[in-house]
Amino acid sequence: MTTYARLPVTFERGEGPWLWDKQGQRYLDALSGIGVCGLGHSHPAVTKAICEQVGKVIHTSNLYGIDVQFQLAEHLCRIANMEVTFFCNSGAEANEAAIKLARLYGHRKGIQNPTVVVMENSFHGRTLATLTATGNPKVQAGFEPLVQGFLRVPYNDLAALEVTAQNNNDIVALLLEPVQGEGGVHVPDNGYLSGIRQLCDQRGWLMMLDEVQSGMGRTGRWFCFQHEDATPDVLCVAKALGNGFPIGACLARGEAARLFSPGTHGSTFGGNPLACRAGLAVIEVIEHQELCDQASELGSRLYGSIKDRLQSLDGVKDIRHQGLMIGIELDKPCGSLVNTALSRQLLINVTAENVIRLLPPLIINYQQTTIIVDTVTELVHEFLNAS
Ligand code: PLP
């Protein structure tokens, strides 16, 4: 179906941060398959793990024990400070699980219409519940009636949240991205996440973080909430967890960890041995090669260099980043830059119409960041001069 407006290129193979098209032309991937291939393409450790697992067993179903799933759950809980994990196959499904947890939590407290607070400008997926949670009317248009039980507030605004809290007794949880990705790489003020944690504690709400894009080392920590030590009750992960092999996870701790019981939720493919083996390999490589630190260092360098060269330009509104999640906001729509970058063998993305988004792989090196900085700054100069 025509769900995608595709660029005129087809890739045949990849290695590290590089992709090759059918004609043998090489491209530098500064987008990582939209934040998925954090370890770059064809990472040998992930490839080896997947190939070995294929030779053993791919799928048995959750009717039986799956050792590799239990191991991955243990590692995820360790790095995220969580207690239990539900495995699924995508980010939207991880968020669906979180929303279902919030509703169970509310009903258990005797609330008939449990309400989840979500943010303006957010993105949580394309299923009916997650597109309802998404704060972008374009994602929702044509799919009405939307799902009930959501309330929207401005992002990065604790005062607005306090007012909403005072006026609504049905709120049971908050769902938000700690850094908004699709919405334009919006990084909240220092203290926002810990403020939310405090409010959730005071009010007895579940704090549910969608780290589908910001998780797995991208922002310089395993998870973005760790910059503020604002541990959520529910954490959603997907994208980079399998480095391209589809896998998602909804993690929980405390009361949220004890809400599901056999039969209340499930997934045929969720947590299959192959996906979990990929996830284990990813965690091992990030840990062993200290890639969270690398993301932090190279992210600061990329951001610093781009800022030095672009911030004083008329037409550049703002430059934002956390780790290797970088956004350059222009004062006009700039989607055409994606094609221009492609013609110079660089893969970038434009989101929210006027924000150039860079999500390079965590394994990128210093020299490759220089190519990104040079090309992107050149493109922006040309674009602004021409328009
Ligand atoms: N949540 C966030 C923050 C995302 O960025 C995305 C995808 O871009 C999703 C959820 C949806 O993930 P998926 O496409 O795997 O369903």
Side-chain angles (χ1 to χ4, degrees):
M1 297 191 188
T2 49
T3 43
Y4 308 104
R6 297 179 196 273
L7 290 156
V9 66
T10 306
F11 297 111
E12 275 200 335
R13 96 189 150 83
E15 195 182 311
W18 303 103
L19 281 167
W20 282 264
D21 70 10
K22 283 166 66 161
Q23 287 72 40
Q25 179 75 253
R26 190 178 76 156
Y27 298 76
L28 182 57
D29 187 357
L31 188 61
S32 310
I34 325 183
V36 167
C37 304
L39 304 185
H41 301 283
S42 311
H43 192 285
V46 181
T47 305
K48 182 166 177 274
I50 289 175
C51 290
E52 279 177 7
Q53 190 61 48
V54 168
K56 284 186 190 166
V57 64
I58 295 176
H59 177 86
T60 56
S61 92
N62 286 298
L63 293 173
Y64 313 105
I66 303 174
D67 271 351
V68 62
Q69 182 188 116
F70 302 156
Q71 285 165 25
L72 181 59
E74 223 168 82
H75 281 284
L76 277 173
C77 287
R78 171 178 60 81
I79 61 175
N81 195 19
M82 292 281 141
E83 291 169 21
V84 293
T85 307
F86 169 79
F87 285 106
C88 50
N89 315 285
S90 67
E93 281 174 85
N95 288 332
E96 283 277 345
I99 293 162
K100 284 180 75 172
L101 281 178
R103 288 190 169 190
L104 282 181
Y105 177 73
H107 286 299
R108 210 165 269 191
K109 290 188 2 174
I111 295 173
Q112 300 294 315
N113 294 302
T115 300
V116 177
V117 175
V118 289
M119 301 293 150
E120 288 174 5
N121 201 42
S122 59
F123 185 82
H124 297 295
R126 302 286 191 161
T127 62
L128 279 172
T130 58
L131 75 81
T132 303
T134 291
N136 178 352
K138 281 191 192 158
V139 172
Q140 298 168 344
F143 299 111
E144 301 83 357
L146 301 180
V147 175
Q148 292 182 344
F150 292 96
L151 196 63
R152 198 168 304 286
V153 298
Y155 180 68
N156 197 22
D157 187 342
L158 284 172
L161 198 52
E162 293 271 6
V163 172
T164 307
Q166 278 153 22
N167 295 330
N168 198 309
N169 294 325
D170 286 338
I171 297 173
V172 294
L174 236 107
L175 173 66
L176 73 152
E177 304 156 81
V179 172
Q180 291 188 327
E182 303 300 302
V185 191
H186 291 284
V187 183
D189 296 337
N190 243 335
Y192 177 63
L193 293 180
S194 44
I196 284 192
R197 180 64 274 174
Q198 273 171 18
L199 192 65
C200 286
D201 287 340
Q202 280 161 15
R203 299 264 168 188
W205 300 344
L206 295 180
M207 176 177 175
M208 311 200 299
L209 288 185
D210 176 350
E211 293 236 26
V212 166
Q213 194 165 138
S214 59
M216 301 308 295
R218 172 131 315 266
T219 70
R221 300 279 164 91
W222 277 113
F223 297 99
C224 190
F225 72 80
Q226 290 161 338
H227 290 284
E228 275 202 35
D229 204 12
T231 310
D233 303 292
V234 177
L235 176 70
C236 298
V237 188
K239 283 200 187 271
L241 177 54
N243 206 51
F245 198 91
I247 179 169
C250 177
L251 289 88
R253 67 182 181 115
E255 214 174 323
R258 296 180 285 278
L259 292 166
F260 282 149
S261 52
T264 49
H265 198 44
S267 162
T268 297
F269 290 133
N272 68 74
L274 186 52
C276 291
R277 178 60 70 196
L280 274 173
V282 167
I283 292 180
E284 214 176 290
V285 173
I286 294 179
E287 210 148 40
H288 189 245
Q289 298 186 6
E290 299 180 348
L291 291 178
C292 294
D293 291 345
Q294 178 154 325
S296 174
E297 263 169 51
L298 289 179
S300 297
R301 164 174 151 72
L302 255 173
Y303 168 73
S305 310
I306 290 173
K307 206 170 154 201
D308 282 349
R309 298 213 211 161
L310 292 183
Q311 77 174 344
S312 59
L313 282 193
D314 265 357
V316 175
K317 273 182 82 177
D318 196 13
I319 305 170
R320 303 178 282 268
H321 95 120
Q322 185 135 40
L324 281 173
M325 226 173 153
I326 297 160
I328 306 161
E329 182 174 345
L330 304 188
D331 68 353
K332 55 172 97 48
C334 58
S336 64
L337 280 174
V338 172
N339 268 302
T340 326
L342 186 69
S343 69
R344 295 186 201 177
Q345 289 85 50
L346 180 70
L347 307 183
I348 61 166
N349 170 250
V350 167
T351 191
E353 292 192 349
N354 62 340
V355 181
I356 301 166
R357 177 174 48 164
L358 305 175
L359 301 169
L362 278 48
I363 47 91
I364 199 158
N365 68 26
Y366 189 88
Q367 187 205 353
Q368 290 150 356
T369 63
T370 306
I371 302 175
I372 298 175
V373 172
D374 288 348
T375 314
V376 168
T377 54
E378 199 177 285
L379 288 171
V380 171
H381 272 279
E382 285 171 16
F383 178 77
L384 292 174
N385 285 338
S387 46

